Amino acid sequence: MKLTDIFKKKSSSEMAKDRLKLVLVSDRSSCSPEIMERIKNDILEVLSKYVEVDQAGLDIKFTQMDTEGVTSDSKTVPALYANIPIKNMKHSAKN
Amino acid sequence: MGEVIVVTSGKGGVGKTTTTANLGTGLAKLNKKVVLIDTDIGLRNLDVVMGLENRIVYNLVDVVEGSCKVKQAMIRDKRYDTLFLLPAAQTKDKTSVTPDQMKKLAEELKQEFDYVIMDCPAGIEQGFKNAIAGAERAVVVTTPEVSAVRDADRIIGLLEANEIGKTQLVVNRLRPEMVKRGDMMSAEDVIDILAVDLLGVVPDDENIVVATNNGEPLAGDSSLAGQAYMNICRRIMGESVPFLNLEDKRGFFAALAGVFRK
């Protein structure tokens, strides 16, 4: 949110658009917790070959983000957000 | 060989039946041979919107059960010789018909008709599955409201999953003056969110209520909604028809207002 946004009230149609975009991201991903868990485990499995991952701090979820550049019209697309803290690099993988 | 089109929406009360009736009327006016099938078994409505409720003898369930021939169940429209209605059963439930039976029926009817149009019930259960079973093309109806657009998105996803080739959107009950003052999403907003092709925009028009009262769909008359529906029919036939003047203007003003607000 920009600072200027605080001073102007959004029109109700803009509110509707924003709310819809958000709700549709989760509707569309229709990703069951089961699948999410499998995605998480698969990512971990691959990463573990190279680095030591802090499993407690792991955060993986579907969200939405703006497409950057290319065109002037801003569109939001679903994105996989992953925050994976790394404890240690595995030196053997470097070779 | 004709085309099978399903008119659907997910949410109830957004104008599926009204749209179906007007597509039928408009296409018949354009000299096409059309049959409308009310697939909302248990809650039939298309017959009253068409003003044909007094002529029903047999219905869709009778046809698929083989109790009568398709020709016996089809009712010819009061005004247009090339328009027919196959009414839903009122006393049965949705499980009386299966998607396979509907597919077979659609195949049979499209040999004879230019357009076979299925009026889909609200929801995504068996009735929906029946209605889309034989369809090659879908018209999704929505209003510019969050609930209707959300359901339309779900429906579009399901249509894709069921490999319905072509899906187009009708934005119904748009109120230009509300769009102008920023209190209603514009057709462009809805299209932007749903990422689907726009088939047409129908303004909120009192004449629709009057037409339904009379049981005479208004496609093709001088009212704004009547013109909008006629344009939709032409686009269905593959013509490239510009969107109604008023809507163009409105779209421009909405866009302009959007620029100034930023």
Side-chain angles (χ1 to χ4, degrees), chain A residues 30-84:
Chain A
S30 66
C31 194
S32 64
E34 214 173 284
I35 302 266
M36 202 63 230
E37 198 54 39
R38 273 160 60 185
I39 294 177
K40 209 185 265 185
N41 287 337
D42 285 358
I43 291 176
L44 272 179
E45 198 186 310
V46 173
L47 284 177
S48 304
K49 286 186 199 167
Y50 307 98
V51 295
E52 198 183 323
V53 174
D54 173 15
Q55 300 223 10
L58 193 69
D59 184 17
I60 297 177
K61 66 188 174 204
F62 279 104
T63 175
Q64 67 166 5
M65 58 182 290
D66 294 326
T67 49
E68 281 165 21
V70 203
T71 49
S72 54
D73 50 306
S74 67
K75 268 193 179 145
T76 54
V77 292
L80 182 70
Y81 168 89
N83 184 11
I84 308 170

Side-chain angles (χ1 to χ4, degrees), chain B residues 195-253:
Chain B
V196 68
D197 290 334
L198 183 63
L199 179 63
V201 182
V202 182
D204 195 18
D205 188 338
E206 289 183 1
N207 290 300
I208 289 280
V209 180
V210 178
T212 309
N213 289 345
N214 294 330
E216 291 185 354
L218 48 61
D221 77 2
S222 59
S223 70
L224 267 181
Q227 291 177 50
Y229 276 124
M230 209 57 185
N231 286 349
I232 289 172
C233 290
R234 291 215 161 86
R235 289 186 201 112
I236 282 194
M237 287 170 58
E239 278 180 48
S240 162
V241 186
F243 289 96
L244 278 182
N245 237 344
L246 190 86
E247 287 155 21
D248 277 340
K249 221 170 170 182
R250 177 196 318 147
F252 174 70
F253 278 120

Side-chain angles (χ1 to χ4, degrees), chain B residues 29-146:
Chain B
K29 227 170 193 167
L30 294 165
N31 299 317
K32 292 291 166 189
K33 210 169 169 203
V34 190
V35 59
L36 308 177
I37 305 180
D38 188 350
T39 66
D40 200 349
I41 298 164
L43 289 169
R44 77 171 167 219
N45 273 321
L46 188 53
D47 54 336
V48 284
V49 176
M50 301 288 297
L52 301 172
E53 67 275 16
N54 293 327
R55 307 183 188 193
I56 297 176
V57 182
Y58 297 108
N59 58 53
L60 178 62
V61 176
D62 295 326
V63 172
V64 297
E65 282 178 350
S67 317
C68 72
K69 295 223 167 68
V70 190
K71 284 225 161 84
Q72 290 177 291
M74 285 192 305
I75 306 158
R76 192 189 292 268
D77 186 61
K78 309 183 274 195
R79 298 178 294 166
Y80 300 99
D81 282 350
T82 58
L83 177 59
F84 291 83
L85 167 71
L86 183 50
Q90 182 72 319
T91 52
K92 302 276 172 68
D93 71 88
K94 283 173 176 122
T95 53
S96 322
V97 177
T98 67
D100 278 344
Q101 288 170 322
M102 288 302 292
K103 206 170 177 174
K104 215 177 124 217
L105 179 66
E107 287 294 326
E108 187 185 335
L109 287 170
K110 77 178 186 185
Q111 308 294 328
E112 199 191 326
F113 289 90
D114 296 316
Y115 293 99
V116 180
I117 305 178
M118 307 276 183
D119 183 20
C120 181
I124 52 174
E125 289 86 32
Q126 170 114 30
F128 171 74
K129 286 172 190 152
N130 283 341
I132 66 165
E136 299 143 293
R137 183 173 176 180
V139 172
V140 175
V141 183
T142 189
T143 58
E145 293 159 86
V146 282

Side-chain angles (χ1 to χ4, degrees), chain A residues 8-21 23-24 26-28 73-75, chain B residues 145-147 149-151 153-154 179 181-186 189 192-195 261-262:
Chain A
K8 74 166 187 224
K9 205 176 159 233
K10 267 190 182 169
S11 73
S12 71
S13 69
E14 279 176 82
M15 282 290 291
K17 263 192 282 180
D18 291 348
R19 289 176 54 222
L20 258 171
K21 280 179 182 167
V23 78
L24 288 186
S26 54
D27 281 4
R28 281 173 187 169
D73 50 306
S74 67
K75 268 193 179 145
Chain B
E145 293 159 86
V146 282
S147 50
V149 175
R150 182 190 196 177
D151 288 359
D153 188 74
R154 185 81 202 282
V179 173
R181 60 168 196 261
D183 278 335
M184 182 178 268
M185 286 185 282
S186 67
D189 291 338
D192 186 36
I193 288 167
L194 294 176
R261 240 181 269 124
K262 270 171 196 161

